[in-house]
Amino acid sequence: MASVTQQMEHSEFTNPNLEVLFSADQIAARVAELGTEISAQYVDKDLVLVGVLKGSSVFHADLMRVIDLPITIDFMAVSSYKDGTKSTGDVEILKDLSNPIRDKHVIVVEDIVDTGLTLTRLLEILGSRGAASIRLASLLDKPEPRIKKELKIDYTGFVIPNKFVVGYGLDAAGRYRNLPFIGVVKDPSKA
Ligand code: IMP
Ligand code: MG
């Protein structure tokens, strides 16, 4: 067993290369507000909360628990092809929904909308399946690099500057998803 001191030295949560942008408490408070809003708007509607793996897993798990309605959940996994670090808009479905969405009210839950190319394509795919309605919830909105300006985010957690963020489900090369807060990597070469 590592001692407490040893553990602190290796703590990911106090990693000096991370600058906290939103604390766990700030995120929880904002997610609760979104839950209240959604709960009021979907009374008597058959709502399915679709999480887009893996980035939205933490937000999805927290959001469903502040929606005080009889909802169901489902998941999709998509890979968005990148040209360097830029999204190209080509989306491959790695895991499709488990159940049909015909006549259901859908909220697609995302971690972050950047260029908007991935979600625009995903909404096109889901749009052909006869859902009663499809809306979009994104924890973070990074409007500056947006290419798909027409993409409407119905429920936004926070609008952020054009910086690369990690934590609360968001990763850099697969790492940092487990951070309870959202942070900016100060020196990406040390990430
Ligand atoms: P888009 O097609 O450019 O909107 O790509 C959105 C996807 O890129 C998100 O679902 C994330 O997986 C990833 N992404 C964009 N910005 C960030 C960031 O700042 N941190 C981590 N992942 C990001
Ligand atoms: Mg993602």
Side-chain angles (χ1 to χ4, degrees), residues 96-134:
D96 207 334
L97 298 172
S98 302
N99 296 111
I101 51 170
R102 176 159 298 280
D103 300 329
K104 291 184 188 294
H105 293 274
V106 176
I107 298 181
V108 175
V109 180
E110 253 291 19
D111 51 357
I112 186 165
V113 182
D114 185 10
T115 63
L117 288 165
T118 307
L119 263 176
T120 298
R121 185 70 195 111
L122 189 64
L123 292 175
E124 277 169 15
I125 294 167
L126 293 181
S128 64
R129 297 186 182 180
S133 71
I134 302 180

PDB file of all heavy atoms in Angstrom, residues 96-134:
ATOM      1  N   ASP A  96     -24.061   1.180 -32.269  1.00  0.00           N
ATOM      2  CA  ASP A  96     -25.334   1.858 -32.517  1.00  0.00           C
ATOM      3  C   ASP A  96     -26.238   1.721 -31.285  1.00  0.00           C
ATOM      4  O   ASP A  96     -25.922   0.973 -30.344  1.00  0.00           O
ATOM      5  CB  ASP A  96     -26.013   1.241 -33.756  1.00  0.00           C
ATOM      6  CG  ASP A  96     -26.940   2.233 -34.464  1.00  0.00           C
ATOM      7  OD1 ASP A  96     -27.444   3.162 -33.791  1.00  0.00           O
ATOM      8  OD2 ASP A  96     -27.182   2.078 -35.662  1.00  0.00           O
ATOM      9  N   LEU A  97     -27.342   2.441 -31.291  1.00  0.00           N
ATOM     10  CA  LEU A  97     -28.316   2.357 -30.208  1.00  0.00           C
ATOM     11  C   LEU A  97     -28.790   0.913 -30.040  1.00  0.00           C
ATOM     12  O   LEU A  97     -28.883   0.164 -31.018  1.00  0.00           O
ATOM     13  CB  LEU A  97     -29.525   3.234 -30.536  1.00  0.00           C
ATOM     14  CG  LEU A  97     -29.263   4.734 -30.680  1.00  0.00           C
ATOM     15  CD1 LEU A  97     -30.507   5.433 -31.192  1.00  0.00           C
ATOM     16  CD2 LEU A  97     -28.826   5.313 -29.341  1.00  0.00           C
ATOM     17  N   SER A  98     -29.142   0.538 -28.824  1.00  0.00           N
ATOM     18  CA  SER A  98     -29.659  -0.811 -28.581  1.00  0.00           C
ATOM     19  C   SER A  98     -31.123  -0.922 -28.953  1.00  0.00           C
ATOM     20  O   SER A  98     -31.599  -2.002 -29.274  1.00  0.00           O
ATOM     21  CB  SER A  98     -29.507  -1.183 -27.102  1.00  0.00           C
ATOM     22  OG  SER A  98     -28.169  -1.107 -26.733  1.00  0.00           O
ATOM     23  N   ASN A  99     -31.854   0.196 -28.870  1.00  0.00           N
ATOM     24  CA  ASN A  99     -33.299   0.168 -29.117  1.00  0.00           C
ATOM     25  C   ASN A  99     -33.708   1.223 -30.139  1.00  0.00           C
ATOM     26  O   ASN A  99     -33.069   2.267 -30.242  1.00  0.00           O
ATOM     27  CB  ASN A  99     -34.054   0.426 -27.800  1.00  0.00           C
ATOM     28  CG  ASN A  99     -33.806  -0.675 -26.790  1.00  0.00           C
ATOM     29  OD1 ASN A  99     -33.150  -0.457 -25.777  1.00  0.00           O
ATOM     30  ND2 ASN A  99     -34.282  -1.863 -27.096  1.00  0.00           N
ATOM     31  N   PRO A 100     -34.811   0.969 -30.881  1.00  0.00           N
ATOM     32  CA  PRO A 100     -35.297   1.970 -31.843  1.00  0.00           C
ATOM     33  C   PRO A 100     -35.747   3.247 -31.131  1.00  0.00           C
ATOM     34  O   PRO A 100     -36.166   3.198 -29.970  1.00  0.00           O
ATOM     35  CB  PRO A 100     -36.508   1.280 -32.494  1.00  0.00           C
ATOM     36  CG  PRO A 100     -36.443  -0.152 -32.131  1.00  0.00           C
ATOM     37  CD  PRO A 100     -35.656  -0.242 -30.864  1.00  0.00           C
ATOM     38  N   ILE A 101     -35.664   4.374 -31.843  1.00  0.00           N
ATOM     39  CA  ILE A 101     -36.100   5.650 -31.250  1.00  0.00           C
ATOM     40  C   ILE A 101     -37.391   6.162 -31.891  1.00  0.00           C
ATOM     41  O   ILE A 101     -37.820   7.286 -31.610  1.00  0.00           O
ATOM     42  CB  ILE A 101     -34.995   6.728 -31.342  1.00  0.00           C
ATOM     43  CG1 ILE A 101     -34.453   6.863 -32.775  1.00  0.00           C
ATOM     44  CG2 ILE A 101     -33.870   6.426 -30.355  1.00  0.00           C
ATOM     45  CD1 ILE A 101     -33.545   8.063 -32.976  1.00  0.00           C
ATOM     46  N   ARG A 102     -38.002   5.357 -32.762  1.00  0.00           N
ATOM     47  CA  ARG A 102     -39.245   5.765 -33.424  1.00  0.00           C
ATOM     48  C   ARG A 102     -40.264   6.240 -32.381  1.00  0.00           C
ATOM     49  O   ARG A 102     -40.480   5.572 -31.367  1.00  0.00           O
ATOM     50  CB  ARG A 102     -39.814   4.594 -34.249  1.00  0.00           C
ATOM     51  CG  ARG A 102     -41.149   4.893 -34.896  1.00  0.00           C
ATOM     52  CD  ARG A 102     -41.442   3.977 -36.081  1.00  0.00           C
ATOM     53  NE  ARG A 102     -40.485   4.114 -37.174  1.00  0.00           N
ATOM     54  CZ  ARG A 102     -40.506   5.084 -38.095  1.00  0.00           C
ATOM     55  NH1 ARG A 102     -41.444   6.010 -38.064  1.00  0.00           N
ATOM     56  NH2 ARG A 102     -39.599   5.131 -39.043  1.00  0.00           N
ATOM     57  N   ASP A 103     -40.857   7.409 -32.615  1.00  0.00           N
ATOM     58  CA  ASP A 103     -41.881   8.025 -31.763  1.00  0.00           C
ATOM     59  C   ASP A 103     -41.387   8.430 -30.369  1.00  0.00           C
ATOM     60  O   ASP A 103     -42.172   8.828 -29.514  1.00  0.00           O
ATOM     61  CB  ASP A 103     -43.120   7.113 -31.624  1.00  0.00           C
ATOM     62  CG  ASP A 103     -43.764   6.818 -32.977  1.00  0.00           C
ATOM     63  OD1 ASP A 103     -43.681   7.703 -33.859  1.00  0.00           O
ATOM     64  OD2 ASP A 103     -44.316   5.721 -33.160  1.00  0.00           O
ATOM     65  N   LYS A 104     -40.107   8.304 -30.132  1.00  0.00           N
ATOM     66  CA  LYS A 104     -39.580   8.711 -28.818  1.00  0.00           C
ATOM     67  C   LYS A 104     -38.985  10.117 -28.891  1.00  0.00           C
ATOM     68  O   LYS A 104     -38.595  10.584 -29.950  1.00  0.00           O
ATOM     69  CB  LYS A 104     -38.492   7.735 -28.365  1.00  0.00           C
ATOM     70  CG  LYS A 104     -39.031   6.353 -28.030  1.00  0.00           C
ATOM     71  CD  LYS A 104     -37.920   5.481 -27.502  1.00  0.00           C
ATOM     72  CE  LYS A 104     -38.356   4.042 -27.346  1.00  0.00           C
ATOM     73  NZ  LYS A 104     -39.390   3.847 -26.329  1.00  0.00           N
ATOM     74  N   HIS A 105     -38.930  10.757 -27.739  1.00  0.00           N
ATOM     75  CA  HIS A 105     -38.261  12.057 -27.628  1.00  0.00           C
ATOM     76  C   HIS A 105     -36.821  11.792 -27.189  1.00  0.00           C
ATOM     77  O   HIS A 105     -36.591  11.150 -26.171  1.00  0.00           O
ATOM     78  CB  HIS A 105     -38.988  12.943 -26.623  1.00  0.00           C
ATOM     79  CG  HIS A 105     -40.357  13.349 -27.098  1.00  0.00           C
ATOM     80  ND1 HIS A 105     -40.554  14.451 -27.907  1.00  0.00           N
ATOM     81  CD2 HIS A 105     -41.571  12.769 -26.928  1.00  0.00           C
ATOM     82  CE1 HIS A 105     -41.851  14.557 -28.190  1.00  0.00           C
ATOM     83  NE2 HIS A 105     -42.483  13.547 -27.606  1.00  0.00           N
ATOM     84  N   VAL A 106     -35.888  12.272 -27.998  1.00  0.00           N
ATOM     85  CA  VAL A 106     -34.472  11.950 -27.791  1.00  0.00           C
ATOM     86  C   VAL A 106     -33.704  13.192 -27.356  1.00  0.00           C
ATOM     87  O   VAL A 106     -33.889  14.270 -27.928  1.00  0.00           O
ATOM     88  CB  VAL A 106     -33.852  11.409 -29.109  1.00  0.00           C
ATOM     89  CG1 VAL A 106     -32.362  11.154 -28.946  1.00  0.00           C
ATOM     90  CG2 VAL A 106     -34.576  10.156 -29.584  1.00  0.00           C
ATOM     91  N   ILE A 107     -32.870  13.046 -26.355  1.00  0.00           N
ATOM     92  CA  ILE A 107     -31.847  14.066 -26.092  1.00  0.00           C
ATOM     93  C   ILE A 107     -30.487  13.396 -26.261  1.00  0.00           C
ATOM     94  O   ILE A 107     -30.176  12.420 -25.561  1.00  0.00           O
ATOM     95  CB  ILE A 107     -31.963  14.692 -24.682  1.00  0.00           C
ATOM     96  CG1 ILE A 107     -33.304  15.415 -24.499  1.00  0.00           C
ATOM     97  CG2 ILE A 107     -30.818  15.694 -24.463  1.00  0.00           C
ATOM     98  CD1 ILE A 107     -33.475  16.075 -23.130  1.00  0.00           C
ATOM     99  N   VAL A 108     -29.719  13.885 -27.227  1.00  0.00           N
ATOM    100  CA  VAL A 108     -28.360  13.395 -27.435  1.00  0.00           C
ATOM    101  C   VAL A 108     -27.448  14.142 -26.467  1.00  0.00           C
ATOM    102  O   VAL A 108     -27.463  15.382 -26.421  1.00  0.00           O
ATOM    103  CB  VAL A 108     -27.902  13.625 -28.897  1.00  0.00           C
ATOM    104  CG1 VAL A 108     -26.445  13.215 -29.080  1.00  0.00           C
ATOM    105  CG2 VAL A 108     -28.808  12.869 -29.863  1.00  0.00           C
ATOM    106  N   VAL A 109     -26.697  13.388 -25.683  1.00  0.00           N
ATOM    107  CA  VAL A 109     -25.848  13.989 -24.647  1.00  0.00           C
ATOM    108  C   VAL A 109     -24.389  13.908 -25.080  1.00  0.00           C
ATOM    109  O   VAL A 109     -23.854  12.814 -25.282  1.00  0.00           O
ATOM    110  CB  VAL A 109     -26.046  13.260 -23.298  1.00  0.00           C
ATOM    111  CG1 VAL A 109     -25.167  13.879 -22.218  1.00  0.00           C
ATOM    112  CG2 VAL A 109     -27.510  13.300 -22.885  1.00  0.00           C
ATOM    113  N   GLU A 110     -23.756  15.061 -25.238  1.00  0.00           N
ATOM    114  CA  GLU A 110     -22.364  15.123 -25.668  1.00  0.00           C
ATOM    115  C   GLU A 110     -21.512  15.792 -24.601  1.00  0.00           C
ATOM    116  O   GLU A 110     -22.016  16.516 -23.745  1.00  0.00           O
ATOM    117  CB  GLU A 110     -22.252  15.921 -26.977  1.00  0.00           C
ATOM    118  CG  GLU A 110     -21.983  15.057 -28.195  1.00  0.00           C
ATOM    119  CD  GLU A 110     -20.587  14.421 -28.222  1.00  0.00           C
ATOM    120  OE1 GLU A 110     -19.909  14.319 -27.181  1.00  0.00           O
ATOM    121  OE2 GLU A 110     -20.175  14.017 -29.314  1.00  0.00           O
ATOM    122  N   ASP A 111     -20.209  15.553 -24.680  1.00  0.00           N
ATOM    123  CA  ASP A 111     -19.289  16.202 -23.760  1.00  0.00           C
ATOM    124  C   ASP A 111     -18.978  17.636 -24.209  1.00  0.00           C
ATOM    125  O   ASP A 111     -19.020  18.565 -23.424  1.00  0.00           O
ATOM    126  CB  ASP A 111     -17.995  15.382 -23.602  1.00  0.00           C
ATOM    127  CG  ASP A 111     -17.345  14.990 -24.935  1.00  0.00           C
ATOM    128  OD1 ASP A 111     -17.917  15.290 -26.011  1.00  0.00           O
ATOM    129  OD2 ASP A 111     -16.265  14.379 -24.906  1.00  0.00           O
ATOM    130  N   ILE A 112     -18.686  17.771 -25.507  1.00  0.00           N
ATOM    131  CA  ILE A 112     -18.244  19.083 -25.998  1.00  0.00           C
ATOM    132  C   ILE A 112     -18.552  19.203 -27.489  1.00  0.00           C
ATOM    133  O   ILE A 112     -18.474  18.222 -28.217  1.00  0.00           O
ATOM    134  CB  ILE A 112     -16.721  19.271 -25.731  1.00  0.00           C
ATOM    135  CG1 ILE A 112     -16.240  20.676 -26.103  1.00  0.00           C
ATOM    136  CG2 ILE A 112     -15.869  18.225 -26.443  1.00  0.00           C
ATOM    137  CD1 ILE A 112     -14.855  21.015 -25.532  1.00  0.00           C
ATOM    138  N   VAL A 113     -18.967  20.380 -27.904  1.00  0.00           N
ATOM    139  CA  VAL A 113     -19.125  20.658 -29.328  1.00  0.00           C
ATOM    140  C   VAL A 113     -18.036  21.647 -29.716  1.00  0.00           C
ATOM    141  O   VAL A 113     -17.930  22.732 -29.147  1.00  0.00           O
ATOM    142  CB  VAL A 113     -20.519  21.230 -29.671  1.00  0.00           C
ATOM    143  CG1 VAL A 113     -20.640  21.445 -31.175  1.00  0.00           C
ATOM    144  CG2 VAL A 113     -21.625  20.288 -29.194  1.00  0.00           C
ATOM    145  N   ASP A 114     -17.226  21.220 -30.668  1.00  0.00           N
ATOM    146  CA  ASP A 114     -16.057  21.993 -31.089  1.00  0.00           C
ATOM    147  C   ASP A 114     -16.354  22.522 -32.498  1.00  0.00           C
ATOM    148  O   ASP A 114     -17.048  23.528 -32.646  1.00  0.00           O
ATOM    149  CB  ASP A 114     -14.861  21.036 -31.030  1.00  0.00           C
ATOM    150  CG  ASP A 114     -13.528  21.671 -31.312  1.00  0.00           C
ATOM    151  OD1 ASP A 114     -13.455  22.893 -31.377  1.00  0.00           O
ATOM    152  OD2 ASP A 114     -12.535  20.934 -31.470  1.00  0.00           O
ATOM    153  N   THR A 115     -15.913  21.834 -33.563  1.00  0.00           N
ATOM    154  CA  THR A 115     -16.284  22.263 -34.922  1.00  0.00           C
ATOM    155  C   THR A 115     -17.765  22.018 -35.179  1.00  0.00           C
ATOM    156  O   THR A 115     -18.377  22.672 -36.018  1.00  0.00           O
ATOM    157  CB  THR A 115     -15.491  21.478 -35.991  1.00  0.00           C
ATOM    158  OG1 THR A 115     -15.825  20.096 -35.894  1.00  0.00           O
ATOM    159  CG2 THR A 115     -13.993  21.665 -35.829  1.00  0.00           C
ATOM    160  N   GLY A 116     -18.346  21.022 -34.478  1.00  0.00           N
ATOM    161  CA  GLY A 116     -19.749  20.665 -34.684  1.00  0.00           C
ATOM    162  C   GLY A 116     -19.946  19.638 -35.784  1.00  0.00           C
ATOM    163  O   GLY A 116     -21.067  19.202 -36.043  1.00  0.00           O
ATOM    164  N   LEU A 117     -18.861  19.223 -36.423  1.00  0.00           N
ATOM    165  CA  LEU A 117     -18.976  18.291 -37.555  1.00  0.00           C
ATOM    166  C   LEU A 117     -19.472  16.910 -37.104  1.00  0.00           C
ATOM    167  O   LEU A 117     -20.350  16.327 -37.735  1.00  0.00           O
ATOM    168  CB  LEU A 117     -17.620  18.151 -38.260  1.00  0.00           C
ATOM    169  CG  LEU A 117     -17.181  19.379 -39.073  1.00  0.00           C
ATOM    170  CD1 LEU A 117     -15.699  19.303 -39.420  1.00  0.00           C
ATOM    171  CD2 LEU A 117     -18.006  19.481 -40.347  1.00  0.00           C
ATOM    172  N   THR A 118     -18.936  16.408 -36.003  1.00  0.00           N
ATOM    173  CA  THR A 118     -19.323  15.081 -35.523  1.00  0.00           C
ATOM    174  C   THR A 118     -20.821  15.035 -35.206  1.00  0.00           C
ATOM    175  O   THR A 118     -21.539  14.146 -35.662  1.00  0.00           O
ATOM    176  CB  THR A 118     -18.520  14.719 -34.248  1.00  0.00           C
ATOM    177  OG1 THR A 118     -17.132  14.877 -34.518  1.00  0.00           O
ATOM    178  CG2 THR A 118     -18.801  13.296 -33.800  1.00  0.00           C
ATOM    179  N   LEU A 119     -21.282  16.024 -34.455  1.00  0.00           N
ATOM    180  CA  LEU A 119     -22.691  16.002 -34.042  1.00  0.00           C
ATOM    181  C   LEU A 119     -23.651  16.262 -35.189  1.00  0.00           C
ATOM    182  O   LEU A 119     -24.734  15.693 -35.236  1.00  0.00           O
ATOM    183  CB  LEU A 119     -22.917  17.042 -32.953  1.00  0.00           C
ATOM    184  CG  LEU A 119     -22.859  16.414 -31.581  1.00  0.00           C
ATOM    185  CD1 LEU A 119     -22.994  17.474 -30.531  1.00  0.00           C
ATOM    186  CD2 LEU A 119     -23.954  15.369 -31.412  1.00  0.00           C
ATOM    187  N   THR A 120     -23.255  17.113 -36.109  1.00  0.00           N
ATOM    188  CA  THR A 120     -24.105  17.389 -37.263  1.00  0.00           C
ATOM    189  C   THR A 120     -24.358  16.087 -38.018  1.00  0.00           C
ATOM    190  O   THR A 120     -25.498  15.761 -38.369  1.00  0.00           O
ATOM    191  CB  THR A 120     -23.448  18.435 -38.188  1.00  0.00           C
ATOM    192  OG1 THR A 120     -23.301  19.640 -37.442  1.00  0.00           O
ATOM    193  CG2 THR A 120     -24.291  18.715 -39.423  1.00  0.00           C
ATOM    194  N   ARG A 121     -23.315  15.313 -38.219  1.00  0.00           N
ATOM    195  CA  ARG A 121     -23.434  14.030 -38.929  1.00  0.00           C
ATOM    196  C   ARG A 121     -24.263  13.041 -38.097  1.00  0.00           C
ATOM    197  O   ARG A 121     -25.121  12.343 -38.627  1.00  0.00           O
ATOM    198  CB  ARG A 121     -22.020  13.483 -39.204  1.00  0.00           C
ATOM    199  CG  ARG A 121     -21.985  12.241 -40.020  1.00  0.00           C
ATOM    200  CD  ARG A 121     -22.383  12.474 -41.484  1.00  0.00           C
ATOM    201  NE  ARG A 121     -22.660  11.197 -42.122  1.00  0.00           N
ATOM    202  CZ  ARG A 121     -23.870  10.791 -42.510  1.00  0.00           C
ATOM    203  NH1 ARG A 121     -24.928  11.565 -42.355  1.00  0.00           N
ATOM    204  NH2 ARG A 121     -24.034   9.615 -43.066  1.00  0.00           N
ATOM    205  N   LEU A 122     -24.003  13.010 -36.810  1.00  0.00           N
ATOM    206  CA  LEU A 122     -24.740  12.097 -35.927  1.00  0.00           C
ATOM    207  C   LEU A 122     -26.231  12.431 -35.907  1.00  0.00           C
ATOM    208  O   LEU A 122     -27.085  11.540 -35.968  1.00  0.00           O
ATOM    209  CB  LEU A 122     -24.164  12.196 -34.509  1.00  0.00           C
ATOM    210  CG  LEU A 122     -24.662  11.177 -33.495  1.00  0.00           C
ATOM    211  CD1 LEU A 122     -24.243   9.774 -33.904  1.00  0.00           C
ATOM    212  CD2 LEU A 122     -24.088  11.489 -32.121  1.00  0.00           C
ATOM    213  N   LEU A 123     -26.548  13.712 -35.873  1.00  0.00           N
ATOM    214  CA  LEU A 123     -27.958  14.124 -35.868  1.00  0.00           C
ATOM    215  C   LEU A 123     -28.623  13.809 -37.205  1.00  0.00           C
ATOM    216  O   LEU A 123     -29.805  13.487 -37.252  1.00  0.00           O
ATOM    217  CB  LEU A 123     -28.083  15.624 -35.532  1.00  0.00           C
ATOM    218  CG  LEU A 123     -27.695  15.992 -34.094  1.00  0.00           C
ATOM    219  CD1 LEU A 123     -27.737  17.500 -33.895  1.00  0.00           C
ATOM    220  CD2 LEU A 123     -28.585  15.312 -33.059  1.00  0.00           C
ATOM    221  N   GLU A 124     -27.864  13.867 -38.298  1.00  0.00           N
ATOM    222  CA  GLU A 124     -28.404  13.462 -39.604  1.00  0.00           C
ATOM    223  C   GLU A 124     -28.770  11.976 -39.579  1.00  0.00           C
ATOM    224  O   GLU A 124     -29.838  11.573 -40.049  1.00  0.00           O
ATOM    225  CB  GLU A 124     -27.357  13.674 -40.709  1.00  0.00           C
ATOM    226  CG  GLU A 124     -27.295  15.093 -41.256  1.00  0.00           C
ATOM    227  CD  GLU A 124     -26.059  15.308 -42.143  1.00  0.00           C
ATOM    228  OE1 GLU A 124     -25.412  14.316 -42.569  1.00  0.00           O
ATOM    229  OE2 GLU A 124     -25.743  16.480 -42.378  1.00  0.00           O
ATOM    230  N   ILE A 125     -27.876  11.182 -39.023  1.00  0.00           N
ATOM    231  CA  ILE A 125     -28.102   9.726 -38.960  1.00  0.00           C
ATOM    232  C   ILE A 125     -29.344   9.436 -38.103  1.00  0.00           C
ATOM    233  O   ILE A 125     -30.246   8.716 -38.513  1.00  0.00           O
ATOM    234  CB  ILE A 125     -26.855   8.999 -38.387  1.00  0.00           C
ATOM    235  CG1 ILE A 125     -25.664   9.144 -39.344  1.00  0.00           C
ATOM    236  CG2 ILE A 125     -27.148   7.520 -38.107  1.00  0.00           C
ATOM    237  CD1 ILE A 125     -24.318   8.733 -38.758  1.00  0.00           C
ATOM    238  N   LEU A 126     -29.422  10.045 -36.932  1.00  0.00           N
ATOM    239  CA  LEU A 126     -30.554   9.780 -36.027  1.00  0.00           C
ATOM    240  C   LEU A 126     -31.846  10.397 -36.564  1.00  0.00           C
ATOM    241  O   LEU A 126     -32.941   9.891 -36.313  1.00  0.00           O
ATOM    242  CB  LEU A 126     -30.258  10.329 -34.627  1.00  0.00           C
ATOM    243  CG  LEU A 126     -29.131   9.636 -33.874  1.00  0.00           C
ATOM    244  CD1 LEU A 126     -28.950  10.264 -32.501  1.00  0.00           C
ATOM    245  CD2 LEU A 126     -29.390   8.138 -33.732  1.00  0.00           C
ATOM    246  N   GLY A 127     -31.705  11.469 -37.330  1.00  0.00           N
ATOM    247  CA  GLY A 127     -32.862  12.203 -37.852  1.00  0.00           C
ATOM    248  C   GLY A 127     -33.723  11.399 -38.804  1.00  0.00           C
ATOM    249  O   GLY A 127     -34.883  11.741 -39.044  1.00  0.00           O
ATOM    250  N   SER A 128     -33.179  10.324 -39.354  1.00  0.00           N
ATOM    251  CA  SER A 128     -33.928   9.522 -40.335  1.00  0.00           C
ATOM    252  C   SER A 128     -34.664   8.352 -39.685  1.00  0.00           C
ATOM    253  O   SER A 128     -35.157   7.472 -40.376  1.00  0.00           O
ATOM    254  CB  SER A 128     -32.951   8.993 -41.391  1.00  0.00           C
ATOM    255  OG  SER A 128     -32.028   8.120 -40.766  1.00  0.00           O
ATOM    256  N   ARG A 129     -34.716   8.336 -38.350  1.00  0.00           N
ATOM    257  CA  ARG A 129     -35.257   7.145 -37.678  1.00  0.00           C
ATOM    258  C   ARG A 129     -36.635   7.345 -37.037  1.00  0.00           C
ATOM    259  O   ARG A 129     -37.070   6.533 -36.212  1.00  0.00           O
ATOM    260  CB  ARG A 129     -34.274   6.655 -36.620  1.00  0.00           C
ATOM    261  CG  ARG A 129     -32.958   6.207 -37.235  1.00  0.00           C
ATOM    262  CD  ARG A 129     -32.071   5.598 -36.204  1.00  0.00           C
ATOM    263  NE  ARG A 129     -30.785   5.216 -36.782  1.00  0.00           N
ATOM    264  CZ  ARG A 129     -29.816   4.655 -36.083  1.00  0.00           C
ATOM    265  NH1 ARG A 129     -29.987   4.403 -34.804  1.00  0.00           N
ATOM    266  NH2 ARG A 129     -28.681   4.341 -36.668  1.00  0.00           N
ATOM    267  N   GLY A 130     -37.296   8.436 -37.388  1.00  0.00           N
ATOM    268  CA  GLY A 130     -38.683   8.613 -36.964  1.00  0.00           C
ATOM    269  C   GLY A 130     -38.894   8.982 -35.502  1.00  0.00           C
ATOM    270  O   GLY A 130     -39.962   8.712 -34.937  1.00  0.00           O
ATOM    271  N   ALA A 131     -37.908   9.626 -34.888  1.00  0.00           N
ATOM    272  CA  ALA A 131     -38.093  10.077 -33.497  1.00  0.00           C
ATOM    273  C   ALA A 131     -39.137  11.191 -33.451  1.00  0.00           C
ATOM    274  O   ALA A 131     -39.310  11.928 -34.425  1.00  0.00           O
ATOM    275  CB  ALA A 131     -36.767  10.579 -32.929  1.00  0.00           C
ATOM    276  N   ALA A 132     -39.824  11.316 -32.329  1.00  0.00           N
ATOM    277  CA  ALA A 132     -40.809  12.391 -32.158  1.00  0.00           C
ATOM    278  C   ALA A 132     -40.103  13.743 -32.090  1.00  0.00           C
ATOM    279  O   ALA A 132     -40.613  14.755 -32.582  1.00  0.00           O
ATOM    280  CB  ALA A 132     -41.636  12.147 -30.894  1.00  0.00           C
ATOM    281  N   SER A 133     -38.939  13.780 -31.468  1.00  0.00           N
ATOM    282  CA  SER A 133     -38.116  14.998 -31.426  1.00  0.00           C
ATOM    283  C   SER A 133     -36.687  14.596 -31.083  1.00  0.00           C
ATOM    284  O   SER A 133     -36.458  13.556 -30.460  1.00  0.00           O
ATOM    285  CB  SER A 133     -38.642  15.990 -30.380  1.00  0.00           C
ATOM    286  OG  SER A 133     -38.393  15.501 -29.069  1.00  0.00           O
ATOM    287  N   ILE A 134     -35.747  15.427 -31.518  1.00  0.00           N
ATOM    288  CA  ILE A 134     -34.343  15.205 -31.151  1.00  0.00           C
ATOM    289  C   ILE A 134     -33.751  16.536 -30.711  1.00  0.00           C
ATOM    290  O   ILE A 134     -33.796  17.525 -31.452  1.00  0.00           O
ATOM    291  CB  ILE A 134     -33.505  14.643 -32.328  1.00  0.00           C
ATOM    292  CG1 ILE A 134     -34.086  13.325 -32.849  1.00  0.00           C
ATOM    293  CG2 ILE A 134     -32.049  14.444 -31.892  1.00  0.00           C
ATOM    294  CD1 ILE A 134     -33.309  12.703 -34.004  1.00  0.00           C
TER     295      ILE A 134
END
